[in-house]
Amino acid sequence: MFKFYNKMVLQQSIAVTLNRLTPFNWHAAAFASAGIAEAKNNTEEEKQAQARRPSVEKGSSIVKTVFASIQLHDSSDDIQTPFTDSKLLKAQTVNELLTITDGTGISRKHALQVLVPQLTQEEAGKPAIWLEVVWSLILLNQASHAHVMSVLNDTFIDKLADNEKYCRVAVLTYDYHDVCKGKMELTGITAFHERLLEAMGYQIVSIPFTDFKVTEKIVKKVQYLENRLKQAKGLILGVYEGDNEEPIFTKAAAKFNDHLGGKLLELMKTGGCELKKGHGKTFNNIDKEFWSVALVGLGREKLGYCEMEAIDESLEAVREAAGSGAQLLKKECVGRILIEGLGHPEQAAEGSALALWRYQENRSRQNWRPIPTLELFDDSDAESFQRGLFKAESQNLARRLSDTPANQMTPLHFAQETVNELCPCGIKVMVHDKDWVENKKMNAFLTVARGSCEPPVVVEISYCGAHQDQKPILMVGKGITFDSGGLCLKKCDGMDRYRADMVGAAAIIAAIRAASALSLPVNIEAIIPLCENMPSGMSMKCGDVVMGLNGKSIMITDTDNEGRLILADALVYGQNAYHPRLIIDVASLTPGVRKAGVITGDRVWRLPLWKYFTKKVTRFRSHDVNNKGLGHGSSCIGAAFLNEFIDCVDWIHFDVTGVGFKSEEKNYSYLTKGRMTGRPTRTLIQLLYQLSCPSEGQRKLE
């Protein structure tokens, strides 16, 4: 039976092994699979080629074997690099060899072209390296039939399984004779083959032979296989910490464990799997429907609101667990992820959707990595899950806008993005140019903008979700698309992150789009002043005095405190135009609502706005307000400055420096380290939700 099975695998299907540790092995497996029909056993040609090859002594290293045939290679077009050649000859592994060739006169292709077919699997060492060698030879059209078959046999696969973390995949081809009429179910001997492969622990990918055959080029065959693999599904289930470190499954996880006959719990116990809060573990090939199952730790049950930490720990635990599970399944290359509600479907959707996002707009399209789709599993609260997806997608929009390089996100580009994102939602967007700004006498804003060649823009947004007689909420966002500091130039190290100095504007745009998607019954007016802060012969100078829109004179002591200047004019214009009931401004003014933050995990802390700080910005004889102020406490001083441009209405100022910029540490499993966070988008959405829905606003924290 085993011999029959082995023959069946080689003739009826293409069994490949995917190594998850090295980036090449998926391609190796796929190219080996696609290339099995391309490689031919031309015995006579191989004998002639063997006669031309130099002999190699036993015991020689893999690199010596590779370069023993260097004399057969026509190197007339190669750059002579004696120093690099000496390093190549000292290399001991293929990986070391290829690392040396990167960025040098000898290309990787050149190094691979001298890989002669006499190179043996034993000399390669690890099976994963041999898989890369075979893949490389197929790419160069130098692989023999023996090479391809050496990686498509049970012995090699078992060796790979013993040394690497792997997942077995069998690509089973069939035609119309192998399926039931009227159904797409396999029948006969092909169905028997499928059951045998499943019994051996393979994940089955069935493809119609008629589709695969017409794809002639190897690369196209690989792309076809990749697309079929994208249909694979993953599942995220939750586990609580019980007494004596005993795991307690959620309802959905317990149900799935029963479906598997207790196999899930058995695997956890035998594998010594202790899932702490926010951590996860994947199990492959344990269920026919799901490619991979991720168990994630939720911590203790019923954690609830922690006043000391100013956060709802149960909601945050769900976000962390969902994010961890999504990250794990993303590495397993699944195309669809099903996630249970974990007790809070909205937060489960938020954590998983935020974790799956990646910024790849500047990669070539063929190198884009697909983002899996998300679906709710075994939970009836689809409305909460969808609301969580809306919030996460909005924050991802803010992340994309703030992470885009400054040359691709100028004020005009940002305005166009606003139109593209909001107008299809039925939201009114007006874009005003420099002439309009000059007519409105927004001098403080123009003073900041004049240092850059990019023209300033003001974007005005109107969302009407309630009766037109209801006073609107005014939202103002800082829109500095790049902040160099002006003449008070910032340090070069880390200046690139100030492409996200418009994170306040990005968060407001994203929040308004979410308000429309959620149909919140509230009227919103938003003012977004957009410009760059650059040094030039036209830029503002320290000591300049300009007149604000409300008639107050402002001395510019620090050109790097430009955000409060552009916000001052925008706040005055918005109040005069709309007479709002509440003002919310978001800005990254300096380094440095509570309920909304508790729910979303963006913990909010109120800073003082005492008269003490007001005196710091107003106690000057030659002018009314100073943009830097005196003394320390720059966050409070920045708020005190803006307060001079606020009439007697309710006002909330969010200072988001440090949380809206790059996530430098892996504090959150659902936020990618080294990328912009898009915060506090979800907090703004939650705040609007509470303001527009009285029942939600009155709900007590538990």
Side-chain angles (χ1 to χ4, degrees):
M1 174 61 74
F2 179 77
K3 290 183 178 179
F4 168 76
Y5 164 75
N6 189 39
K7 182 179 179 182
M8 178 271 297
V9 169
L10 296 178
Q11 293 183 353
Q12 299 293 334
S13 65
I14 306 169
V16 298
T17 299
L18 303 185
N19 177 358
R20 300 295 183 187
L21 295 183
T22 56
F24 293 112
N25 286 340
W26 150 243
H27 298 284
F31 272 106
S33 302
I36 190 170
E38 306 291 336
K40 298 180 180 179
N41 190 7
N42 298 324
T43 308
E44 293 299 326
E45 293 182 6
E46 286 187 2
K47 288 181 179 179
Q48 294 176 8
Q50 182 67 31
R52 295 194 300 269
R53 296 174 195 137
S55 60
V56 181
E57 298 179 3
K58 287 187 177 181
S60 60
S61 70
I62 183 172
V63 177
K64 289 181 180 178
T65 305
V66 170
F67 281 91
S69 62
I70 192 71
Q71 57 186 330
L72 300 178
H73 177 69
D74 182 9
S75 59
S76 57
D77 296 331
D78 290 337
I79 300 174
Q80 299 301 316
T81 55
F83 178 71
T84 302
D85 289 347
S86 64
K87 291 197 295 182
L88 290 171
L89 293 174
K90 295 177 182 178
Q92 296 298 317
T93 65
V94 170
N95 283 341
E96 187 177 352
L97 169 68
L98 299 183
T99 302
I100 293 171
T101 60
D102 279 343
T104 64
I106 295 181
S107 66
R108 173 173 291 201
K109 183 177 180 181
H110 167 80
L112 293 175
Q113 280 177 331
V114 297
L115 279 168
V116 292
Q118 68 187 20
L119 182 62
T120 64
Q121 182 177 342
E122 289 72 20
E123 290 176 309
K126 290 185 178 181
I129 295 179
W130 178 247
L131 197 59
E132 292 182 17
V133 170
V134 174
W135 163 68
S136 304
L137 291 173
I138 291 175
L139 278 178
L140 298 169
N141 200 25
Q142 292 188 14
S144 66
H145 179 76
H147 279 119
V148 177
M149 299 310 296
S150 69
V151 298
L152 297 182
N153 62 78
D154 289 332
T155 303
F156 178 80
I157 291 174
D158 290 338
K159 288 182 179 179
L160 191 64
D162 292 337
N163 291 278
E164 312 288 349
K165 181 182 178 182
Y166 74 101
C167 176
R168 290 185 172 186
V169 180
V171 180
L172 187 65
T173 59
Y174 64 91
D175 58 22
Y176 65 93
H177 295 294
D178 300 318
V179 295
C180 298
K181 290 185 178 180
K183 298 182 179 180
M184 289 303 293
E185 296 178 357
L186 295 178
T187 185
I189 190 65
T190 308
F192 176 61
H193 292 165
E194 182 184 36
R195 289 195 295 272
L196 282 176
L197 289 168
E198 288 177 351
M200 295 296 293
Y202 283 89
Q203 189 76 30
I204 309 299
V205 178
S206 301
I207 60 174
F209 180 71
T210 51
D211 292 348
F212 193 66
K213 183 179 180 181
V214 296
T215 309
E216 297 179 355
K217 295 184 178 180
I218 293 180
V219 175
K220 294 293 184 182
K221 290 179 184 290
V222 173
Q223 291 175 350
Y224 181 87
L225 292 174
E226 283 182 326
N227 290 333
R228 293 306 299 258
L229 287 172
K230 289 175 187 176
Q231 300 174 7
K233 293 193 296 184
L235 177 63
I236 300 176
L237 300 171
V239 180
Y240 292 106
E241 292 180 15
D243 296 332
N244 300 322
E245 298 184 352
E246 281 291 323
I248 301 175
F249 285 136
T250 59
K251 290 182 179 180
K255 185 177 178 181
F256 189 77
N257 182 56
D258 293 340
H259 165 70
L260 296 178
K263 187 176 181 180
L264 201 58
L265 181 60
E266 181 183 348
L267 287 172
M268 284 190 65
K269 290 183 176 180
T270 56
C273 180
E274 297 181 6
L275 291 178
K276 300 297 183 182
K277 185 171 70 172
H279 293 76
K281 173 73 174 177
T282 55
F283 299 95
N284 296 327
N285 302 323
I286 63 173
D287 182 72
K288 182 177 180 180
E289 182 180 0
F290 297 102
W291 175 292
S292 184
V293 177
L295 287 180
V296 292
L298 295 167
R300 295 281 180 177
E301 287 189 85
K302 300 179 181 179
L303 292 174
Y305 168 60
C306 178
E307 185 175 2
M308 181 66 69
E309 292 292 328
I311 197 170
D312 191 316
E313 292 185 330
S314 59
L315 301 184
E316 186 65 12
V318 170
R319 270 188 291 267
E320 289 278 359
S324 177
Q327 292 278 16
L328 289 171
L329 292 182
K330 184 167 63 173
K331 295 177 182 178
E332 297 294 333
C333 302
V334 299
R336 295 168 57 194
I337 294 178
L338 280 73
I339 179 172
E340 64 149 311
L342 301 174
H344 301 281
E346 180 177 335
Q347 283 67 38
E350 289 177 2
S352 52
L354 289 170
L356 291 175
W357 178 85
R358 55 166 61 97
Y359 183 83
Q360 51 189 358
E361 271 65 22
N362 285 318
R363 302 186 70 182
S364 55
R365 283 287 176 176
Q366 61 267 27
N367 292 329
W368 273 40
R369 299 172 65 184
I371 297 177
T373 59
L374 281 171
E375 302 172 30
L376 184 61
F377 175 77
D378 197 25
D379 197 305
S380 59
D381 195 359
E383 182 180 350
S384 295
F385 186 79
Q386 192 63 42
R387 185 165 60 245
L389 288 180
F390 282 145
K391 289 183 177 181
E393 288 170 1
S394 297
Q395 183 165 341
N396 289 338
L397 169 62
R399 295 165 83 183
R400 179 177 66 82
L401 293 175
S402 55
D403 226 338
T404 302
N407 65 320
Q408 300 173 9
M409 192 55 67
T410 64
L412 286 175
H413 283 119
F414 192 99
Q416 185 62 56
E417 286 284 351
T418 304
V419 171
N420 295 343
E421 294 293 340
L422 299 187
C423 286
C425 302
I427 300 171
K428 182 180 178 181
V429 179
M430 293 182 290
V431 179
H432 304 300
D433 60 8
K434 184 179 179 180
D435 291 338
W436 182 91
V437 178
E438 290 175 343
N439 289 334
K440 294 297 180 181
K441 294 182 170 53
M442 300 173 74
N443 297 320
F445 173 45
L446 286 170
T447 299
V448 176
R450 74 188 187 197
S452 173
C453 296
E454 296 291 342
V457 175
V458 172
V459 177
E460 207 166 344
I461 305 168
S462 297
Y463 166 71
C464 298
H467 194 274
Q468 60 181 1
D469 293 337
Q470 184 184 105
K471 284 189 174 183
I473 295 173
L474 175 64
M475 304 184 78
V476 181
K478 176 184 174 183
I480 299 293
T481 57
F482 187 76
D483 181 16
S484 67
L487 292 182
C488 300
L489 199 65
K490 295 180 183 293
K491 292 182 179 180
C492 181
D493 185 22
M495 188 189 288
D496 67 298
R497 78 187 191 117
Y498 286 94
R499 67 185 183 276
D501 214 21
M502 28 61 70
V503 64
I508 284 178
I509 289 170
I512 293 176
R513 192 183 73 166
S516 175
L518 296 171
S519 301
L520 296 184
V522 63
N523 294 334
I524 303 173
E525 301 291 341
I527 308 295
I528 309 293
L530 296 162
C531 68
E532 292 181 339
N533 182 25
M534 299 292 289
S536 72
M538 294 292 293
S539 61
M540 57 182 171
K541 300 174 286 295
C542 297
D544 285 356
V545 176
V546 296
M547 194 66 67
L549 191 56
N550 65 347
K552 291 187 177 182
S553 60
I554 307 169
M555 174 173 277
I556 302 168
T557 304
D558 188 347
T559 63
D560 197 17
N561 286 346
E562 82 297 332
R564 58 196 68 175
L565 294 174
I566 70 171
L567 286 177
D569 279 349
L571 287 168
V572 174
Y573 170 76
Q575 291 173 86
N576 294 339
Y578 300 112
H579 306 288
R581 63 187 174 104
L582 172 67
I583 301 174
I584 301 173
D585 79 79
V586 186
S588 52
L589 296 182
T590 56
V593 189
R594 183 178 175 86
K595 180 178 178 180
V598 166
I599 294 173
T600 62
D602 294 335
R603 288 178 277 192
V604 179
W605 191 257
R606 181 176 179 177
L607 293 175
L609 190 59
W610 302 325
K611 292 181 180 180
Y612 169 83
F613 294 106
T614 301
K615 293 178 181 179
K616 294 288 186 181
V617 296
T618 59
R619 196 169 57 185
F620 299 92
R621 294 182 178 180
S622 61
H623 51 278
D624 297 323
V625 191
N626 189 285
N627 84 322
K628 183 179 181 180
L630 301 172
H632 302 288
S634 55
S635 293
C636 298
I637 289 175
F641 176 91
L642 293 178
N643 193 35
E644 293 300 305
F645 300 88
I646 300 293
D647 289 333
C648 296
V649 295
D650 292 331
W651 168 55
I652 301 173
H653 165 61
F654 284 89
D655 194 330
V656 297
T657 301
V659 296
F661 281 5
K662 283 185 180 180
S663 179
E664 299 293 352
E665 298 181 3
K666 192 64 176 177
N667 294 327
Y668 302 90
S669 64
Y670 52 86
L671 293 178
T672 308
K673 181 180 178 181
R675 302 250 64 99
M676 303 303 175
T677 67
R679 298 165 73 188
T681 300
R682 287 181 296 110
T683 298
L684 290 175
I685 298 170
Q686 181 65 30
L687 179 59
L688 293 173
Y689 186 51
Q690 292 170 188
L691 291 171
S692 60
C693 303
S695 59
E696 179 65 21
Q698 296 172 5
R699 182 168 65 90
K700 293 183 178 181
L701 297 172
E702 298 177 356

